[in-house]
Amino acid sequence: MFGDDPLLRALDFAGMRRRTPLAAIALGAGGALSALSLAALSAWLITRAWQMPPVLYLSVAVTAVRALGISRAVFRYLERLATHDVALRAMATARARLYRVLAGGDPAVIARSDRSALLARTAEDVDEIGDAVVRGLVPMAVGAVTSLAAVAIMAAVSPVSAMVLAVALVISGVLAPLAGARASSRIVADGAQAREQVGAGVTGLLWHAGELTVARRRDRALTQLRDADERHARAVDAAAARQAGAASMTPIAMLVSVVAAAVIAVDLASRLPGSLMDASSSDGVVTPMLLGVLVLMPLSSFEATGPLTDAAIAWESGRQSAARVMALVAAAGPAVVTADPEFDPRPATLIARSLQWGRERALGPDSGIDLRLRPGDRLLVTGRSGAGKSTLGMTLTGLLTPLGGSVASEPADLDRSAAYFAEEAHLFSTSVRENMRVARGDVTDGEIVDALTDVGLDGWLASLPEGLDTELAGAASVSGGQRRRLLVARALVHAARIVVLDEPTEHLDLADAPAMLRRICDRTDLFGPERIVVVITHQPTVVHGVPIIEIS
């Protein structure tokens, strides 16, 4: 219903219908028309009072001026409330629907996407869409209503002045915004790209500060972040310069309109009969009331068109953000959201034939790899960092599409039998119990305690002041080894029959890591004889009897 414009489609995705912003637009137009009427009435009152009539002649006008002044402020306040209510509701709905699409859509989209890019899509870009409503849609609609009203009022006084005002308002309210939006379009895109690079740099420094310090690459990362921030600042400055140039068209149009109105008023006064002139102005001098209305009306009418250059730029920025958000939605596909993924409880077999994996190029051997893992089987995947071990793990669980060959499970599909447990899986700022329920929503307290005990966290659990109800402050509340054991415990309570663990022994003590790996690979220990376990590790530990795939 909203056409092909990405911003209109994004607003539809956010739950906005055509009638949704009408209240905000009506209130904004009420405030602008109050200001317009106030200017016209004030001009009449000032010039009429200069003629010193009886006070009672002016009492109604004085009361009306006060009423218009108060209503102008009230309408604008209510318009701000209504506009922000619409925008904030739309942003909340857009984020909720976007999360549902990402959670229930194609998992490869998240797997392939950069973390900072996903953060930008769900944060800054959604904010820009809401900003386009607050600073773009409503001001443009209010400006259009006010401009039409100003031209209509001016036409009742002087059709020629109304034509001049109409041309000036078109320049201020249409040409200047179009010029500003077109001039800033490329700069907005460059600024968004630089902003994403800043986000990627900050995210990398926050997540990998220790590794960067050890590798002596922190200064290099900081330099790259500083360069990205400077590029963003330059893009913003360039946009401001071009926006100022476009905005300068409004005061020029205002000057031309006011001067033309004054000239036309004088000309009218010299040619029209006495009904438009004061009784003592037979010499052709314009009446003060006519001059006041013709001069102050244009000044007030430009109050609504002045912000439209910024409104057009906000709209263009929102369009670009909406295009990125809707592209992500289209890539993820329709969401299929359930309360909890239903994994098939039957033991499964994992089958790979001539499998090649990767994101842009194949990382496996030319002939691919062949696997047939039955219930209880274990497999180690080793190799240097960056060789593609994690990519293989995501391909084996169906998160990434193979670049060659095939991977499947029997009797159930991969999405109902396999799960990938990432190296950097998140710990949430909530209780221990809720952090474990991330893996399976119906897990019991007894199963949680058993899993934590199995991975060696029974002493840690006993030391917590409120046990499973203890609130964790994210990953910062536990050590690296404890966090790793918690993630293994999540895999234990998960319902998947095929489990891929990415670096499950990372950050464990040198003495504990081999023992944990042996327990994971022992088909009679942690994961039992009915589950397939694939362990991705860069540690050169060899477990007797477990086959190894080494990726070079």
Side-chain angles (χ1 to χ4, degrees):
M1 62 177 289
F2 277 84
D4 295 329
D5 187 277
L7 182 52
L8 296 180
R9 287 190 289 111
L11 293 178
D12 188 27
F13 178 76
M16 276 189 60
R17 296 294 183 262
R18 286 191 177 95
R19 65 179 182 273
T20 303
L22 287 182
I25 294 172
L27 290 169
L33 292 177
S34 294
L36 195 65
S37 301
L38 179 62
L41 185 58
S42 298
W44 183 89
L45 180 61
I46 292 170
T47 52
R48 185 73 176 103
W50 172 73
Q51 296 174 339
M52 301 180 65
V55 174
L56 291 178
Y57 287 10
L58 305 178
S59 58
V60 174
V62 170
T63 303
V65 166
R66 291 176 178 175
L68 289 172
I70 294 173
S71 65
R72 174 189 181 188
V74 171
F75 275 127
R76 288 189 174 180
Y77 177 73
L78 294 176
E79 180 265 324
R80 296 294 189 274
L81 292 179
T83 302
H84 283 80
D85 178 69
V86 169
L88 292 175
R89 288 179 184 274
M91 291 161 59
T93 302
R95 283 198 174 94
R97 291 184 176 179
L98 183 56
Y99 293 151
R100 292 192 185 100
V101 167
L102 295 177
D106 185 359
V109 173
I110 298 180
R112 291 194 181 100
S113 299
D114 180 76
R115 180 179 299 169
S116 60
L118 283 175
L119 182 63
R121 296 295 87 78
T122 57
E124 288 93 346
D125 282 339
V126 174
D127 287 344
E128 291 287 352
I129 294 173
D131 199 42
V133 176
V134 176
R135 297 180 55 216
L137 176 62
V138 173
M140 287 190 290
V142 171
V145 173
T146 306
S147 298
L148 291 174
V151 173
I153 295 173
M154 186 69 81
V157 178
S158 168
V160 179
S161 296
M163 293 178 59
V164 174
L165 178 61
V167 172
L169 289 175
V170 167
I171 294 174
S172 175
V174 178
L175 298 183
L178 287 177
R182 180 172 297 180
S184 64
S185 176
R186 179 63 185 173
I187 298 173
V188 169
D190 293 342
Q193 182 179 10
R195 185 180 61 197
E196 286 190 17
Q197 292 172 348
V198 171
V202 172
T203 303
L205 285 168
L206 290 175
W207 279 86
H208 304 291
E211 293 90 333
L212 291 171
T213 301
V214 171
R216 298 183 179 180
R217 297 180 61 184
R218 187 182 64 175
D219 291 342
R220 179 182 176 185
L222 287 171
T223 300
Q224 292 174 343
L225 176 60
R226 190 179 302 109
D227 292 342
D229 189 48
E230 289 177 355
R231 287 195 297 273
H232 180 253
R234 287 196 297 270
V236 171
D237 291 343
R242 296 193 179 189
Q243 292 166 16
S248 66
M249 298 173 67
T250 293
I252 294 174
M254 183 188 304
L255 175 63
V256 172
S257 176
V258 171
V259 172
V263 171
I264 292 171
V266 173
D267 181 66
L268 282 174
S270 65
R271 292 186 292 104
L272 294 180
S275 59
L276 290 177
M277 301 169 57
D278 187 75
S280 60
S281 58
S282 57
D283 57 354
V285 178
V286 66
T287 61
M289 288 175 288
L290 178 61
L291 178 62
V293 172
L294 291 179
V295 171
L296 289 186
M297 276 290 294
L299 289 175
S300 180
S301 60
F302 281 101
E303 185 178 338
T305 61
L308 294 190
T309 299
D310 290 337
I313 294 170
W315 186 265
E316 175 61 28
S317 180
R319 285 184 73 254
Q320 295 187 17
S321 296
R324 293 188 289 268
V325 171
M326 298 312 294
L328 180 62
V329 171
V336 181
V337 182
T338 60
D340 202 9
E342 295 183 1
F343 282 83
D344 196 309
R346 295 174 294 175
T349 299
L350 181 64
I351 305 169
R353 295 187 178 93
S354 303
L355 177 63
Q356 290 185 332
W357 64 96
R359 298 179 186 269
E360 297 178 355
R361 61 181 181 86
L363 300 175
D366 293 339
S367 59
I369 63 171
D370 295 308
L371 293 173
R372 188 175 185 86
L373 301 178
R374 296 176 174 83
D377 285 350
R378 306 292 190 261
L379 176 66
L380 290 177
V381 179
T382 64
R384 60 179 177 80
S385 297
K389 303 186 299 296
S390 298
T391 305
L392 173 59
M394 287 186 280
T395 305
L396 289 175
T397 53
L399 294 178
L400 292 178
T401 303
L403 296 185
S406 64
V407 59
S409 64
E410 296 177 352
D413 295 334
L414 278 177
D415 59 352
R416 297 188 60 204
S417 59
Y420 171 78
F421 295 87
E423 177 184 3
E424 298 294 343
H426 192 67
L427 284 185
F428 296 91
S429 297
T430 184
S431 67
V432 176
R433 178 185 293 105
E434 294 305 318
N435 266 286
M436 293 294 291
R437 283 180 174 171
V438 169
R440 201 179 91 224
D442 61 351
V443 64
T444 64
D445 286 358
E447 290 174 318
I448 294 175
V449 172
D450 289 344
L452 294 176
T453 301
D454 287 341
V455 299
L457 289 177
D458 48 333
W460 171 76
L461 179 61
S463 68
L464 297 178
E466 299 181 41
L468 295 179
D469 293 317
T470 303
E471 296 283 332
L472 299 180
S477 59
V478 295
S479 67
Q482 290 170 336
R483 177 173 179 269
R484 192 62 54 187
R485 292 176 187 271
L486 273 169
L487 299 180
V488 175
R490 275 184 185 172
L492 286 178
V493 302
H494 200 280
R497 299 293 91 187
I498 301 172
V499 175
V500 177
L501 302 175
D502 197 345
E503 301 288 0
T505 60
E506 190 74 8
H507 301 300
L508 295 184
D509 295 338
L510 292 177
D512 293 339
M516 174 64 77
L517 188 59
R518 283 193 295 270
R519 294 191 64 198
I520 292 172
C521 293
D522 188 342
R523 61 186 301 162
T524 63
D525 201 339
L526 292 178
F527 288 91
E530 294 188 348
R531 303 176 77 178
I532 296 172
V533 180
V534 178
V535 180
I536 298 171
T537 179
H538 70 276
Q539 297 178 352
T541 303
V542 177
V543 180
H544 180 69
V546 176
I548 298 176
I549 295 178
E550 185 171 355
I551 303 176
S552 58

